[in-house]
Amino acid sequence: MPVPVRQAPSGTWLVDEPAVQPSGRVVAYCRVSSAEQKADLDRQVARVVQGATGLGLLVAEVVTEVGSGLNGRRRKLHRVLSDPKAAVIVVEHRGRLAAPAMRGIMTAPPGEVQDTSP
C-alpha cells in the first residue's frame, strides 16, 4: 500500500495517516515571569519539546524569555511572531504566549490549529 496500514485483532485494516510537516520552522516558545523561576523555565522547555515531538513536530528553535506576560515588552516573542519562516509556534499553554494584555496577535482560522490544551 502507498500509505502505512496495520491490521487490528478484529481483522479490520487501519490506515495510519502520515504526519504532515508544516512548511516552515517549528519554534518552541517558553517564558517565565521572573529570574527566580529559571529552573521552571528549563523544565518547561523539556515539556514543550517533548510535547511537540509527540505530535510529530521537529522543533527547529527553542526561544526562552524571562518577563511579565502583562506587558508587550517581549522582544524574543516579537522576533518569532515577525519571522515569516516560523510556521508553528509551540507553547505549553496559551497564557505563555498571549496574556490578556497582549494585543494584535492574529490567530489561524479554525481547522488550521491543533489545540491540545485542557
Side-chain angles (χ1 to χ4, degrees), residues 84-100:
K85 294 179 182 173
V88 176
I89 301 171
V90 183
V91 294
E92 187 169 38
H93 54 83
R94 286 177 252 168
R96 295 291 100 192
L97 181 64

Side-chain angles (χ1 to χ4, degrees), residues 101-112:
M102 288 291 289
R103 305 247 192 279
I105 292 180
M106 299 290 292
T107 58
E112 291 187 22

Side-chain angles (χ1 to χ4, degrees), residues 53-84:
T53 302
L55 292 172
L57 299 171
L58 180 62
V59 176
E61 179 183 5
V62 175
V63 175
T64 60
E65 200 156 41
V66 176
S68 173
L70 297 177
N71 64 46
R73 289 183 235 122
R74 292 190 265 160
R75 289 181 291 156
K76 293 180 181 181
L77 174 60
H78 289 242
R79 179 186 59 80
V80 171
L81 291 173
S82 64
D83 181 356

Side-chain angles (χ1 to χ4, degrees), residues 1-7 13-19:
M1 295 213 103
V3 294
V5 297
R6 57 192 162 90
Q7 191 171 20
W13 287 97
L14 304 171
V15 177
D16 295 321
E17 272 189 70

Side-chain angles (χ1 to χ4, degrees), residues 36-67:
E36 292 81 28
Q37 296 172 309
K38 176 67 174 146
D40 295 337
L41 184 60
D42 295 337
R43 288 189 294 273
Q44 187 182 141
V45 167
R47 288 189 304 269
V48 169
V49 170
Q50 181 180 19
T53 302
L55 292 172
L57 299 171
L58 180 62
V59 176
E61 179 183 5
V62 175
V63 175
T64 60
E65 200 156 41
V66 176

